[in-house]
Amino acid sequence: FTVYRRPTTRKKRYVYYIQFRDEDGNRMTAVSSGKTTRAEAERWAYNKLKDGYVPSFKEPKFKVYAQNWFIWDRCDYLLRKRNRGDYSRSYAEQQRGYLENHILPHFGDTKLCSITITEIVNWNIKLKNQYSAVTANRALTVLKIMLKEAKRCRLISYNPGEDVEKLPETSKEKGILTLLEFHNLFNPQKFEHVWNRSLFHYTLNALASVTGLRLGEIQAIRWFCINKNFIEIDHSWDRKYGLKEPKAKSFRFVSIPSVIFDCLCMLKDLDRFADPNIFVFHGDDLFRPIDHKVISKRLYHALGCIGILDCERRSRNLTFHSWRHFLNTNLRTLAADADLQKITGHRTVAMTEHYDHETEQFLARVQPHQENLLGIRKDSLLALSV
């Protein structure tokens, strides 16, 4: 065999590669020893030969290895992850997209064992320059998953991706409304002017503002989830695949102010269908929630009616997801962090799925803060009657 070194991303540091020979004396594709000194690399190579290790001459190219990756019913890695409930189908498709659009064009014809740290770093920087740091980092994450799995399966002896760090990102911070803007938006006396008398969109956005629910979680709410003091969050809505588990399995009970419950009751009275499995915020199809684009469009129109025009909204980065940041900002000084996490679902361990005494106490602690934040008197709800 032949020993030679390749540079790493660290200054003046090298990794030694071994090039074995086949039975005819031909040099084979080099494999990384993972060692940083020649002596250790030679010892590693001798031990491999002693143990009967003979590297295959037909080492696969990356595109062969990647053939079934992130395909829902064919990827072994996904099948293993799905058994633990770690992946959604939409997320798998996103990763497959990064693989096809950004990884395979560069590494497809490279042998799996020949990918180097330097090559990965240069590719990652090139992606950043062509697109953005966010795109480059997401593609890098996909590549690192694949290389880690290749090492686990002993297709490579050294993972060149494990020492490659993500690039710094400069993401634009989500904006939130001021409390004055917030109260102008939901003032019942301005219901007709701001919301065009749409109790549907008024209630949907008011609910989001005092619960911090994700858009998909609100879309997934059905009438049987609604209770007088809380909403049960048991699903989220996937735009392509429909109902799925909420993000990070954050099944939870979310407290709602009494005025929000009253608005929901008024909305239900307007809905002529009594099936509890119907989506609360449905579109023309009763068993499918209203489209996310319609929700955003109606919110932006309402913002324009209180003086926040499109140019200002974009510069302030105000979106539907801003309601989540709004709640987190305005309740943080009032509610305990543990209670706030139970509302928003910002946690890794899911809350118990059973309504118990502890849940009841939690709801009682949070509801007054939500009522005060919304600041709507029950007698003013008459202005919302349609």
Side-chain angles (χ1 to χ4, degrees):
F1 58 83
T2 303
V3 181
Y4 65 92
R5 67 182 188 178
R6 288 181 179 175
T8 68
T9 54
R10 297 183 183 179
K11 191 175 181 179
K12 295 183 178 179
R13 180 166 179 180
Y14 300 87
V15 170
Y16 283 82
Y17 281 69
I18 310 297
Q19 196 168 30
F20 293 96
R21 294 178 183 270
D22 63 17
E23 293 179 352
D24 298 323
N26 298 315
R27 290 181 179 178
M28 303 172 70
T29 302
V31 294
S32 171
S33 69
K35 307 300 180 183
T36 56
T37 67
R38 174 177 286 272
E40 289 177 334
E42 289 178 347
R43 194 179 304 117
W44 178 87
Y46 281 122
N47 287 334
K48 284 288 185 182
L49 294 173
K50 184 179 178 181
D51 293 339
Y53 170 74
V54 179
S56 171
F57 185 72
K58 295 182 179 179
E59 291 162 332
K61 290 184 177 181
F62 184 84
K63 64 183 178 184
V64 175
Y65 172 65
Q67 188 172 6
N68 291 327
W69 265 89
F70 303 114
I71 297 176
W72 192 244
D73 293 319
R74 297 199 309 222
C75 176
D76 292 336
Y77 171 81
L78 274 189
L79 292 173
R80 191 174 77 250
K81 286 288 187 180
R82 286 169 58 191
N83 287 332
R84 295 179 1 204
D86 288 352
Y87 261 75
S88 72
R89 192 162 188 168
S90 292
Y91 185 52
E93 289 186 356
Q94 288 176 22
Q95 292 185 301
R96 180 71 190 183
Y98 282 106
L99 173 60
E100 292 179 347
N101 296 325
H102 302 302
I103 300 175
L104 283 175
H106 186 92
F107 294 102
D109 290 325
T110 304
K111 288 187 177 180
L112 186 60
C113 63
S114 299
I115 297 173
T116 65
I117 295 175
T118 302
E119 188 177 8
I120 295 174
V121 170
N122 291 339
W123 160 77
N124 198 219
I125 293 173
K126 183 179 178 181
L127 272 187
K128 176 192 173 184
N129 294 336
Q130 285 183 327
Y131 300 97
S132 68
V134 173
T135 298
N137 285 337
R138 288 178 179 174
L140 176 63
T141 297
V142 172
L143 179 60
K144 291 178 77 166
I145 289 172
M146 298 177 70
L147 292 175
K148 182 179 179 180
E149 184 70 0
K151 183 180 178 183
R152 190 187 73 84
C153 296
R154 298 184 178 180
L155 297 176
I156 54 177
S157 58
Y158 171 68
N159 177 5
E162 63 185 358
D163 292 325
V164 180
E165 297 181 351
K166 289 185 177 181
L167 298 168
E169 299 177 10
T170 54
S171 57
K172 190 175 182 181
E173 186 178 350
K174 283 289 181 190
I176 63 172
L177 296 184
T178 66
L179 286 175
L180 179 60
E181 292 168 335
F182 170 69
H183 290 133
N184 279 336
L185 190 67
F186 293 112
N187 185 344
Q189 303 305 318
K190 299 181 179 180
F191 177 59
E192 182 172 1
H193 170 64
V194 176
W195 295 98
N196 197 25
R197 300 194 69 79
S198 173
L199 182 63
F200 182 101
H201 289 282
Y202 178 93
T203 304
L204 189 155
N205 281 275
L207 174 64
S209 72
V210 294
T211 60
L213 290 173
R214 301 176 178 93
L215 178 54
E217 292 172 340
I218 288 181
Q219 289 176 294
I221 297 172
R222 286 149 292 170
W223 283 114
F224 71 80
C225 301
I226 306 292
N227 295 271
K228 184 175 182 179
N229 297 316
F230 66 91
I231 295 176
E232 182 180 353
I233 301 303
D234 64 346
H235 283 91
S236 183
W237 182 259
D238 185 285
R239 295 169 189 173
K240 187 172 183 179
Y241 296 107
L243 289 174
K244 65 173 186 177
E245 291 181 341
K247 186 175 180 178
K249 296 186 177 181
S250 52
F251 304 97
R252 61 199 188 278
F253 299 102
V254 175
S255 60
I256 56 174
S258 59
V259 290
I260 293 296
F261 179 73
D262 291 343
C263 286
L264 289 166
C265 289
M266 292 167 62
L267 193 61
K268 189 173 185 180
D269 289 341
L270 293 173
D271 201 329
R272 61 186 183 278
F273 304 99
D275 190 336
N277 293 301
I278 289 175
F279 290 101
V280 174
F281 302 106
H282 62 75
D284 293 335
D285 182 346
L286 302 179
F287 295 95
R288 187 178 181 87
I290 190 168
D291 189 77
H292 68 283
K293 293 180 180 178
V294 176
I295 295 173
S296 295
K297 183 178 180 180
R298 292 302 296 266
L299 171 61
Y300 298 160
H301 177 269
L303 291 175
C305 289
I306 64 168
I308 304 176
L309 302 180
D310 284 348
C311 56
E312 180 184 353
R313 175 180 58 78
R314 292 193 190 96
S315 67
R316 290 172 60 181
N317 199 21
L318 294 170
T319 67
F320 187 88
H321 197 72
S322 295
W323 288 133
R324 195 163 169 80
H325 295 265
F326 175 84
L327 178 81
N328 200 53
T329 300
N330 286 283
L331 283 196
R332 176 167 287 173
T333 57
L334 301 174
D337 284 346
D339 287 343
L340 189 56
Q341 289 172 355
K342 287 180 182 179
I343 300 174
T344 61
H346 275 142
R347 62 194 185 286
T348 55
V349 180
M351 170 184 173
T352 176
E353 295 180 44
H354 303 287
Y355 185 88
D356 54 20
H357 182 61
E358 182 182 347
T359 304
E360 200 169 67
Q361 290 179 326
F362 149 68
L363 296 174
R365 289 194 303 270
V366 171
Q367 281 171 333
H369 299 309
Q370 293 174 304
E371 300 274 10
N372 292 334
L373 179 61
L374 196 54
I376 298 176
R377 299 194 316 273
K378 293 177 74 70
D379 58 3
S380 66
L381 293 181
L382 291 173
L384 305 183
S385 59
V386 292

